[in-house]
Amino acid sequence: MCGIAGWFSAEPRVELGALRLQKLAEVLKHRGPDGVATLEIDHVGMMHARLAMVDLVSGDQPMWSADRRAVIVFNGEIYNYRELRAHYESRGVVFASQSDTEVILAAYQVDGEMGFGRLRGMFAFALWDVVMRRALLVRDALGIKPLFVSEDTNGMLRFASEAKGILALNDARPELDANALHLLLNFRYVPGEASLFRGIRQLAPGECFEWHPGGKSSHRRLTTNVESIDGNLDVVLADSVRAHLIADVPVGCYLSGGVDSGLLAAIARKGGADLPTYTLAIGDDPAEARNAAETARTLGLVNVQAELGDDEVRRLPRMLWHLETPKVNAVQLFRLAELARTQVKAALSGVGGDELFAGYNVHRIFQMYARLPAGASRMVAGVLRHVLPSSVVPFGERERALDMGAASGDWPRVYALLRNIWDRPELRRWLYGPRMLDAGLSDALDVVRERWPAHRPPLAAMMEYEWRNKMVNDLLWQEDRASMAAGLEVRVPFVDLAVRDAVGRMGAPRLGKAALREVAVNYLPHRVLARPKSGFQLDAPAFFDTHLRASADIWLSPERVREYGLFNPGTVASLLRLPVERRFRWHFFMLYLMIQSHMWIDIFERGLSPGAVANA
């Protein structure tokens, strides 16, 4: 796991190239505390900040292929690199290291781009082909690792693991993309390939972007041909955990009181791994930490625990600098990563279990709406709308439930309302200030419709949509940034091509992780499997009232709200007067995002340091 950045230029050599590479190293060194290396040749500048996991001695980058045809900087892990190494050795390739990075070069040397489809793992890399004079930027098929790009009119392509790496190469100060912020305030992540920085985008999952010095470029999706694994879900999961444990450094495991992470730890333990586990005492269930400790004792594993600290407000600007986008449930991931990093350099995470096996309450609720007769649902919603009192503020939970009933049969809209996507003209006028209202903003519901897999039944469509969108740009995004801020590599065995294929062969999804529980009975006792689902999330009203109330007096003061122009001062004031109750959870989430949006302006548009923002 690492940080990569650099450029490909139309003209040979870039003025002050060495200084720019040094600046990149300073910005992204948190992703690779084990060492930084750079390369500058005609048309190419590359920087690599290394977090060493495999081949600690000879795996440094940028790395050249044996024939000196290509050079690469790579972020991630290739879990089948040993099998691929043996395959390419049988085809005459001679390796100079034990690194998975060199396997990528061998795949390109022998099979060209088709070789990239053999890679099983999480990866983003930039490769320069000296002979063909072309650059290839590639991101893994599931979007686990990030890669940002920006092209300018002078024929330069910039790339980086984080957008701030591209900012370090630009002379102009960045500008907020108001439309991206609008979508963030609806989805709580930026959908698609956009970022909050105007002119900087992500590569799509599985994208191969080809660029030539003459300005010609093309985009295509990699053809994945990872060797399939024979066997049932139990066999495939065990193989995925085994693969994700491959490292030359200690590996641990995040552990909650639930099934997903408990199953990963149990599979690892059964395979002979004695890995420490890490738990943050937070969640919907007040017994979450105690349950996690009990699971660890049952498996004979050490469990280390911590709680959220009292300095969350002062930490928020630094977190935002790492995240590059406001988030509502990232603070706990930063704490957990810091806890694990005190002992290990890599940790397994249960991210993806709920998404693959319909484990969330939203899956149950969505399926309930899908099974109700659409006509009856709409009729009941229409009657109740005239009987029940309206909420004291727009977009209350009762109003949202009635809107979902009225939309029955229009599954993208039902889903959007379920996920608090609120966009409509009257709410824009209620929420936004002039800077947002004057921008050309996308319809958030149209964004859902454009990506909705309408050919699938409602629940399956919802799960596929979230796997391709929320998983990539919300869950994996914040997991990457929180872990990299601590110099920790987080590995996600559920987000694996082989596991995804195995689940796909099982037919229609079943609620409550039924398929996963059928595997888990072979590893975990009944008392663990019987525990109710507990979300790893903040109680938004309580968190705001405890940690952010004083900060809101500063960052959401009427004067500052008018100065920044993003939000309506009257609306902000009315939200701040709401009682601290869970029924206003969405409204407190919005206040949290508003504070971070103003901090974002100061940090990125105005160029203030996170420390200066923390002291504002």
Side-chain angles (χ1 to χ4, degrees):
M1 192 65 62
C2 311
I4 64 173
W7 66 78
F8 301 105
S9 61
E11 298 297 326
R13 302 288 179 178
V14 175
E15 185 180 0
L16 302 176
L19 291 176
R20 291 176 185 267
L21 288 171
Q22 183 180 354
K23 190 174 183 181
L24 281 177
E26 286 298 313
V27 169
L28 295 179
K29 64 183 180 182
H30 58 277
R31 295 185 69 94
D34 293 330
V36 171
T38 62
L39 171 73
E40 189 182 2
I41 57 176
D42 287 352
H43 302 287
V44 180
M46 288 180 167
M47 187 283 305
H48 183 263
R50 188 181 187 199
L51 180 64
M53 294 289 159
V54 174
D55 190 4
L56 308 186
V57 176
S58 57
D60 291 341
Q61 303 177 46
M63 181 179 287
W64 285 93
S65 60
D67 58 6
R68 303 290 291 184
R69 172 183 173 175
V71 62
I72 191 174
V73 282
F74 157 59
N75 168 34
E77 300 292 340
I78 307 302
Y79 299 122
N80 61 343
Y81 81 97
R82 291 172 177 168
E83 295 88 343
L84 291 177
R85 179 189 175 95
H87 169 78
Y88 287 114
E89 282 179 331
S90 71
R91 297 176 66 178
V93 176
V94 177
F95 287 85
S97 73
Q98 299 297 317
S99 168
D100 55 348
T101 308
E102 194 176 8
V103 169
I104 303 175
L105 288 166
Y108 182 67
Q109 181 181 347
V110 176
D111 294 323
E113 289 177 43
M114 293 299 294
F116 301 153
R118 295 178 176 271
L119 305 175
R120 177 188 181 190
M122 52 181 183
F123 55 85
F125 59 83
L127 181 148
W128 173 251
D129 188 318
V130 177
V131 177
M132 297 185 68
R133 286 170 48 82
R134 69 169 179 171
L136 295 175
L137 301 177
V138 181
R139 189 181 185 194
D140 68 74
L142 299 179
I144 304 172
K145 289 291 104 184
L147 189 58
F148 292 84
V149 296
S150 176
E151 298 176 81
D152 66 21
T153 56
N154 296 320
M156 178 177 284
L157 173 69
R158 299 170 174 87
F159 67 91
S161 296
E162 299 177 10
K164 65 178 68 69
I166 293 176
L167 301 180
L169 292 172
N170 288 344
D171 295 325
R173 187 161 287 171
E175 181 183 352
L176 172 70
D177 186 324
N179 187 59
L181 178 61
H182 165 64
L183 294 177
L184 167 75
L185 293 168
N186 274 273
F187 292 85
R188 294 189 224 161
Y189 61 90
V190 181
E193 285 70 65
S195 78
L196 284 186
F197 304 93
R198 188 178 299 279
I200 298 178
R201 74 170 184 91
Q202 301 181 79
L203 259 65
E207 179 180 347
C208 178
F209 178 39
E210 180 178 352
W211 181 92
H212 294 263
K216 179 183 176 183
S217 63
S218 60
H219 308 259
R220 50 192 169 274
R221 185 170 178 82
L222 291 178
T223 301
T224 301
N225 56 346
V226 174
E227 187 174 341
S228 61
I229 298 170
D230 294 330
N232 58 23
L233 180 61
D234 192 340
V235 171
V236 175
L237 274 175
D239 179 81
S240 181
V241 172
R242 174 201 60 79
H244 284 74
L245 287 172
I246 294 173
D248 295 331
V249 297
V251 179
C253 184
Y254 291 169
L255 187 65
S256 71
V259 175
D260 301 343
S261 59
L263 177 57
L264 296 182
I267 291 173
R269 187 65 168 138
K270 188 174 182 178
D274 185 14
L275 66 174
T277 63
Y278 303 95
T279 301
L280 194 67
I282 188 172
D284 295 335
D285 186 347
E288 178 75 8
R290 185 171 67 250
N291 289 338
E294 181 188 7
T295 299
R297 283 194 300 272
T298 300
L299 299 175
L301 298 174
V302 172
N303 182 238
V304 183
Q305 298 197 359
E307 298 180 350
L308 284 180
D310 296 325
D311 60 341
E312 303 312 325
V313 174
R314 290 192 57 80
R315 291 164 52 87
L316 193 56
R318 173 57 62 176
M319 287 172 45
L320 184 57
W321 183 84
H322 283 289
L323 287 164
E324 300 176 343
T325 180
K327 290 286 185 183
V328 297
N329 272 308
V331 59
Q332 53 270 50
L333 287 176
F334 277 79
R335 284 289 191 191
L336 186 56
E338 291 167 355
L339 175 65
R341 188 62 180 89
T342 60
Q343 297 181 339
V344 298
K345 292 181 72 173
L348 305 186
S349 167
V351 164
D354 285 299
E355 288 71 22
L356 272 179
F357 298 100
Y360 291 127
N361 284 334
V362 291
H363 295 129
R364 176 182 54 79
I365 296 169
F366 190 78
Q367 181 76 321
M368 178 190 69
Y369 275 91
R371 287 175 173 170
L372 291 172
S377 181
R378 289 193 290 267
M379 181 181 69
V380 171
V383 171
L384 290 177
R385 192 181 303 279
H386 293 289
V387 174
L388 296 175
S390 58
S391 175
V392 297
V393 285
F395 210 62
E397 291 192 356
R398 183 184 297 129
E399 173 191 357
R400 186 162 55 95
L402 293 176
D403 286 346
M404 288 170 60
S408 183
D410 183 354
W411 303 121
R413 178 164 175 75
V414 173
Y415 166 79
L417 289 164
L418 181 59
R419 280 299 192 186
N420 290 295
I421 296 172
W422 52 266
D423 190 18
R424 55 181 186 255
E426 63 272 21
L427 283 178
R428 289 188 188 185
R429 292 190 294 270
W430 173 75
L431 184 66
Y432 286 154
R435 182 170 180 180
M436 298 296 288
L437 292 175
D438 291 345
L441 304 178
S442 300
D443 186 309
L445 179 56
D446 285 348
V447 172
V448 177
R449 293 192 191 283
E450 289 166 6
R451 293 167 169 77
W452 191 260
H455 62 285
R456 306 203 65 182
L459 179 60
M462 173 192 178
M463 293 175 67
E464 181 178 336
Y465 174 89
E466 294 217 320
W467 184 266
R468 297 182 182 278
N469 294 276
K470 182 176 175 59
M471 170 68 75
V472 175
N473 289 323
D474 189 9
L475 304 180
L476 292 174
W477 178 305
Q478 63 186 17
E479 195 78 76
D480 171 82
R481 300 311 178 82
S483 60
M484 287 286 91
L488 177 77
E489 176 175 287
V490 167
R491 300 178 174 187
V492 285
F494 286 117
V495 190
D496 177 82
L497 290 171
V499 176
R500 172 73 166 162
D501 289 345
V503 173
R505 294 193 298 267
M506 298 175 71
R510 292 182 288 160
L511 292 172
K513 295 189 281 199
L516 190 65
R517 290 175 181 275
E518 290 170 359
V519 173
V521 294
N522 300 319
Y523 296 90
L524 295 169
H526 175 74
R527 64 181 180 277
V528 175
L529 301 179
R531 292 170 187 158
K533 168 70 178 173
S534 174
F536 187 62
Q537 59 192 10
L538 298 174
D539 180 337
F543 180 81
F544 185 92
D545 196 48
T546 301
H547 295 287
L548 298 175
R549 181 70 68 179
S551 183
D553 292 340
I554 299 170
W555 288 99
L556 297 182
S557 68
E559 298 76 18
R560 195 178 292 256
V561 174
R562 283 191 290 270
E563 176 189 355
Y564 288 64
L566 299 177
F567 304 109
N568 183 330
T571 296
V572 173
S574 68
L575 293 179
L576 289 170
R577 291 193 295 268
L578 287 174
V580 181
E581 298 175 5
R582 287 186 65 84
R583 64 192 175 108
F584 297 119
R585 183 176 58 174
W586 175 81
H587 303 85
F588 281 97
F589 273 141
M590 292 303 297
L591 288 170
Y592 190 11
L593 291 174
M594 288 174 178
I595 290 173
Q596 292 181 73
S597 297
H598 286 172
M599 288 181 173
W600 193 99
I601 295 292
D602 273 12
I603 293 170
F604 293 108
E605 274 199 345
R606 300 185 177 187
L608 299 181
S609 70
V613 172
N615 292 322

